[in-house]
Amino acid sequence: MEILAKQNAVSAENHDSSEAEINRKLTTADQLELLRKMLQIRRFEQVGLSKYQGGKMSGFIHLYIGQESVAAGVCSLMGEHDHVITAYRCHGHALAVGMTMNECMAELYGKATGCSRGKGGSMHFFAPDKNYWGGHGIVAGQTPLGLGLAYGIKYKGLKGAALCFLGDGAVNQGAFYECLNMASLMDLPVIYIIENNRYSMGTSLERSSVVKNCLAERGEAFGIEWAQAKGEDINEVRAVTQKAIERAHNESRPTILEFDTYRHYGHSVADAKHKGGYRSAEEIEDYKKNHDPIQLYKRHLISKGVLTEEEYTKISDAAKAEADASAKFAEESPLPDPSSIFEDVYFEVDRGTEAGRTGKHFFND
Amino acid sequence: MALIEYRDALNQAFAEEIERDPNVVLIGEEVAQYDGAYKVTRGLWKKYGDKRVVDTPISEAGFIGMGIGASMLGLRPVMELMFWSFATVAYDQIINNAAQIRYMSGGLINCPIVIRGPANGGTSVGATHSHTPENWLANIPGLKVVCAATAYDAKGLMKTAIRDNDPVMFMESTLLYGEKGEVPDEEYLIPLGKADIKREGKHVSIIGHGRAILTALKAAELLEAEHDISCEVIDLRSIRPLDEEAILTSVRKTHRAVLVDENKPFCGVSAQIASMIQEKCFDDLDAPVQRVTSLDAPAFYSPQIEKLQFPEVHRIIAKVLAIS
């Protein structure tokens, strides 16, 4: 097998990914749309966090703030037969594939108007009509499902890819390795996208992984092409992902991508204020100041003359207004009817078949 | 009607469904080139090829999850576990994903998958290969659990399971694969959730599922011949959905119930049914509900001892006599 390690570590090199072909094609409107998407994700989550802290919702919220370039960049490349699946930090991917803030915010509120009718919550957004197969709560549990999406794409003879997001914590789960072996063995068009934010919950990469400088490299053992890149640069995310999508479409081969990224907040609301002490205030400050994907892209667009400060403010304010409106929508939405407890468990129950009508699946009375 | 083995009845079901629906695919360890560890898929790879009959590595979490993901996209994968005991490796996928994806997505996503293979012990393969997980799985809303006792049922239930839009856990048994039974030449389907009266009777209802039904039928014959006790044998055929009406109707007729179950006693399937009977027809009972289950210990390796752990004919007879 060809050793690909050095050539794939593109982040080490100082180059301008905005010059990559896939990015040179972007019109002004396209570029502003990428910025808008990242800002929508950020404002949605900022409003979500404040509402959470205001006692409007419960459960966990795993904020994506700081990583917006990855979801927005990858999902901007999705074609008709490309599918996305992700883990519990799923808000960014959901909005990136085109889910509305209303259905997402209402789901956080546990309302009937939520995308999952209030049954999924923060970790379980779904929109199969947008090829979005959800947020999944068990670390790496989505990786075999992503493999199955790729299997389905190939089985149906379609030119598509399964884009399966996972965190750096997930690479230490056994299921992931089973998937790598099968993906390569069976030539499945799956792209495993590791969003390496350097912390699996409160445990740093240094303390959880024996190989610390490159996780994607593990693909070598399975004959899988891989690349490691700077996730804070949306142009780079797109350039690297595009190659993997082409490989999936044209060769039906898997790829592992690793994007270095960082979450500004904690693993979840449980450590949102960084009380755990597992990373320093200086480190967080450095990432916010020097590695914020939105600020980096904003500067890039301004330097190219594509964006002005005024336009940025306009886009940002619009995203904030949309997020606020979604919170209002969620607050005013009805709670799910208690009778819906027994809906969506079994297909035939919902379809009113005989077994469904007699309730023989349930043991409640 | 042809007299065929249980394994071949399943084989016919697969072949017919593969031909009927292009989305049906058989996936598992050694199901293709090796013809299946228990020859249930014999000849299918040769006939239908690599696309429809697919060998996998020994990676239960990976390939069961792959099947679930593919089912979300509209395929109807039939996944073979070489032993149902190995499902322990894939429980995250079965419970968190197959069972709950429909619920958590508010009904947006279906999971029309069949996961199948031999459950139960009886072949002296030790505790890790001899589990009876029907109660583990029936405990999970979102899953259906089917246990076929005869060749006829195996074929009809399997065809229905493959067409079902929910995840169906289909339990077979190593010891049943060689059992012969009549299977009609024409197509038939058996709905899930309909119990079958395997033997009519008037004094005692013996209620169970899977291989225990064959043991129960032998016990019923002896009870009739030697004690003049007429036993009705009810085969549940599926644990979830459960045919409560068939159970209650029989108990209301005979006023006595003995539950047979190769499942373990503690929190087992028969515990559920005993609870249901006392709640819903207590006044019809002339005696306490009795249970004959596997003994509450892991499976023994020594075949002579392992045999003692299952519901044996004499244990069923003793319970029936105790309440007659």
Side-chain angles (χ1 to χ4, degrees):
Chain A
M1 194 190 76
E2 199 185 342
I3 298 299
L4 305 150
K6 297 295 168 244
Q7 73 198 53
N8 283 336
V10 292
S11 62
E13 301 180 20
N14 216 352
H15 66 281
D16 183 1
S17 291
S18 66
E19 290 303 313
E21 199 192 338
I22 188 75
N23 293 323
R24 268 189 288 136
K25 284 186 200 159
L26 292 171
T27 63
T28 297
D30 292 337
Q31 294 177 81
L32 294 180
E33 184 54 34
L34 289 172
L35 180 71
R36 179 177 298 115
K37 198 54 88 181
M38 289 199 282
L39 277 163
Q40 282 174 326
I41 296 169
R42 180 156 304 183
R43 300 294 174 246
F44 173 85
E45 293 214 301
Q46 286 171 332
V47 169
L49 178 63
S50 80
K51 297 297 177 187
Y52 185 95
Q53 288 165 337
K56 298 287 186 185
M57 55 189 80
S58 50
F60 290 127
I61 293 190
H62 305 86
L63 296 176
Y64 195 68
I65 291 174
Q67 304 184 202
E68 294 91 342
S69 45
V70 182
V74 169
C75 295
S76 68
L77 298 165
M78 281 173 71
E80 190 188 354
H81 301 302
D82 298 322
H83 295 262
V84 163
I85 189 163
T86 186
Y88 47 82
R89 198 178 302 284
C90 68
H91 310 163
H93 310 99
L95 294 172
V97 300
M99 287 179 72
T100 65
M101 285 198 198
N102 277 2
E103 61 184 321
C104 293
M105 190 66 82
E107 189 58 33
L108 295 183
Y109 274 72
K111 295 296 184 74
T113 50
C115 59
S116 303
R117 304 176 71 195
K119 293 176 174 176
S122 165
M123 297 187 282
H124 308 112
F125 289 0
F126 298 91
D129 62 320
K130 297 184 174 64
N131 291 4
Y132 182 64
W133 300 92
H136 292 266
I138 304 294
V139 172
Q142 81 282 14
T143 57
L145 297 183
L147 192 72
L149 294 174
Y151 188 92
I153 291 163
K154 186 178 181 186
Y155 188 90
K156 289 164 181 259
L158 302 170
K159 237 181 188 203
L163 301 152
C164 180
F165 293 91
L166 60 152
D168 47 291
V171 302
N172 296 320
Q173 286 273 27
F176 179 53
Y177 294 95
E178 297 190 21
C179 292
L180 297 186
N181 183 53
M182 282 195 286
S184 191
L185 186 73
M186 301 168 95
D187 293 318
L188 296 179
V190 62
I191 303 172
Y192 285 112
I193 301 162
I194 303 166
E195 296 191 65
N196 180 1
N197 62 26
R198 301 188 42 211
Y199 294 91
S200 33
M201 296 197 290
T203 304
S204 70
L205 187 66
E206 282 70 27
R207 294 174 57 227
S208 64
S209 174
V210 71
V211 178
K212 302 171 202 317
N213 58 356
C214 183
L215 300 175
E217 197 180 8
R218 298 185 190 196
E220 295 274 335
F222 300 91
I224 296 178
E225 302 253 6
W226 60 272
Q228 187 185 34
K230 230 188 309 182
E232 67 199 36
D233 178 353
I234 194 167
N235 281 315
E236 185 149 318
V237 169
R238 281 168 48 84
V240 170
T241 304
Q242 179 60 24
K243 284 187 193 162
I245 289 179
E246 278 167 16
R247 181 175 298 124
H249 286 190
N250 300 330
E251 302 165 39
S252 192
R253 283 293 296 169
T255 306
I256 303 177
L257 303 179
E258 176 184 356
F259 293 120
D260 294 325
T261 185
Y262 198 79
R263 52 171 156 82
H264 293 179
Y265 288 86
H267 166 70
S268 76
V269 285
D271 64 334
K273 290 178 179 159
H274 333 300
K275 280 182 185 159
Y278 57 85
R279 51 186 197 170
S280 68
E282 293 76 30
E283 177 184 300
I284 297 166
E285 212 35 53
D286 175 54
Y287 272 95
K288 282 187 179 176
K289 209 172 139 196
N290 302 316
H291 303 277
D292 183 322
I294 294 177
Q295 290 308 313
L296 290 173
Y297 197 51
K298 175 190 168 190
R299 269 181 247 156
H300 168 75
L301 294 183
I302 288 176
S303 76
K304 296 272 176 191
V306 173
L307 180 76
T308 63
E309 279 287 353
E310 294 70 41
E311 280 170 311
Y312 174 82
T313 307
K314 226 169 107 184
I315 295 171
S316 171
D317 288 351
K320 174 71 166 61
E322 190 184 353
D324 285 335
S326 74
K328 188 165 182 286
F329 168 79
E331 272 174 45
E332 290 169 357
S333 288
L335 278 168
D337 191 291
S339 68
S340 67
I341 288 172
F342 298 115
E343 291 167 4
D344 309 321
V345 182
Y346 292 101
F347 180 91
E348 66 175 55
V349 172
D350 300 333
R351 295 299 183 285
T353 61
E354 192 194 339
R357 279 191 301 274
T358 53
K360 284 187 293 188
H361 297 283
F362 301 111
F363 299 93
N364 300 298
D365 54 2
Chain B
M1 280 217 276
L3 191 66
I4 63 170
E5 287 185 0
Y6 184 104
R7 61 162 61 81
D8 293 326
L10 287 170
N11 189 288
Q12 284 183 9
F14 300 144
E16 289 175 18
E17 294 306 299
I18 283 174
E19 295 202 6
R20 191 188 60 83
D21 181 350
N23 287 318
V24 173
V25 54
L26 307 185
I27 302 175
E29 294 152 5
E30 304 193 338
V31 297
Q33 301 196 26
Y34 190 78
D35 275 339
Y38 291 100
K39 306 300 165 207
V40 177
T41 52
R42 186 162 47 197
L44 297 177
W45 173 69
K46 244 182 198 156
K47 190 163 181 200
Y48 299 108
D50 285 330
K51 185 168 182 192
R52 312 299 297 278
V53 188
V54 183
D55 280 328
T56 68
I58 301 173
S59 296
E60 283 84 3
F63 77 74
I64 294 289
M66 183 181 80
I68 295 165
S71 79
M72 285 156 44
L73 271 193
L75 268 61
R76 291 184 177 271
V78 180
M79 315 297 296
E80 176 170 309
L81 288 165
M82 197 176 285
F83 290 88
W84 255 108
S85 292
F86 302 164
T88 49
V89 180
Y91 264 49
D92 172 44
Q93 295 303 319
I94 296 173
I95 292 170
N96 283 313
N97 293 335
Q100 302 185 149
I101 189 90
R102 181 173 171 79
Y103 200 71
M104 289 202 304
S105 68
L108 293 175
I109 299 173
N110 296 321
C111 182
I113 194 172
V114 176
I115 304 175
R116 54 156 290 267
N120 312 64
T123 52
S124 188
V125 287
T128 53
H129 289 53
S130 304
H131 288 294
T132 49
E134 55 266 41
N135 62 324
W136 304 351
L137 296 159
N139 191 243
I140 308 297
L143 298 180
K144 295 178 176 177
V145 179
V146 174
C147 302
T150 66
Y152 175 87
D153 289 351
K155 182 175 178 184
L157 289 167
M158 180 57 79
K159 284 170 68 79
T160 306
I162 293 171
R163 299 181 194 192
D164 198 281
N165 289 309
D166 292 312
V168 181
M169 310 296 108
F170 200 101
M171 313 264 162
E172 299 146 24
S173 167
T174 329
L175 290 176
L176 285 175
Y177 285 138
E179 292 283 336
K180 285 190 172 171
E182 298 272 7
V183 170
D185 299 324
E186 66 276 10
E187 177 176 275
Y188 66 98
L189 296 167
I190 299 173
L192 309 188
K194 285 262 183 278
D196 183 40
I197 302 173
K198 287 282 190 284
R199 179 191 170 104
E200 300 264 5
K202 25 179 214 226
H203 300 132
V204 181
S205 300
I206 304 180
I207 300 156
H209 64 274
R211 186 161 58 111
I213 288 298
L214 305 190
T215 320
L217 286 168
K218 281 180 204 149
E221 252 174 62
L222 289 170
L223 283 158
E224 182 87 62
E226 293 172 12
H227 302 278
D228 208 21
I229 295 172
S230 158
C231 294
E232 180 147 289
V233 178
I234 305 287
D235 178 3
L236 298 172
R237 296 202 290 203
S238 70
I239 306 304
R240 192 164 190 155
L242 183 70
D243 191 347
E244 292 188 356
E245 209 42 54
I247 297 167
L248 298 176
T249 302
S250 182
V251 174
R252 282 176 184 139
K253 182 170 89 174
T254 63
H255 309 293
R256 288 175 173 81
V258 173
L259 312 181
V260 291
D261 188 0
E262 292 194 354
N263 206 206
K264 298 285 188 260
F266 196 82
C267 300
V269 170
S270 60
Q272 169 69 30
I273 295 168
S275 155
M276 191 267 289
I277 291 173
Q278 72 84 20
E279 274 178 32
K280 296 195 176 172
C281 60
F282 184 76
D283 290 340
D284 294 290
L285 289 172
D286 283 346
V289 174
Q290 301 292 313
R291 293 200 287 156
V292 184
T293 69
S294 282
L295 302 184
D296 205 8
F300 220 98
Y301 160 65
S302 289
Q304 299 85 345
I305 311 297
E306 187 200 22
K307 214 166 65 177
L308 305 178
Q309 294 181 281
F310 288 104
E312 291 183 287
V313 172
H314 72 88
R315 281 170 59 199
I316 299 173
I317 290 174
K319 290 286 186 186
V320 170
L321 292 177
I323 56 166
S324 294

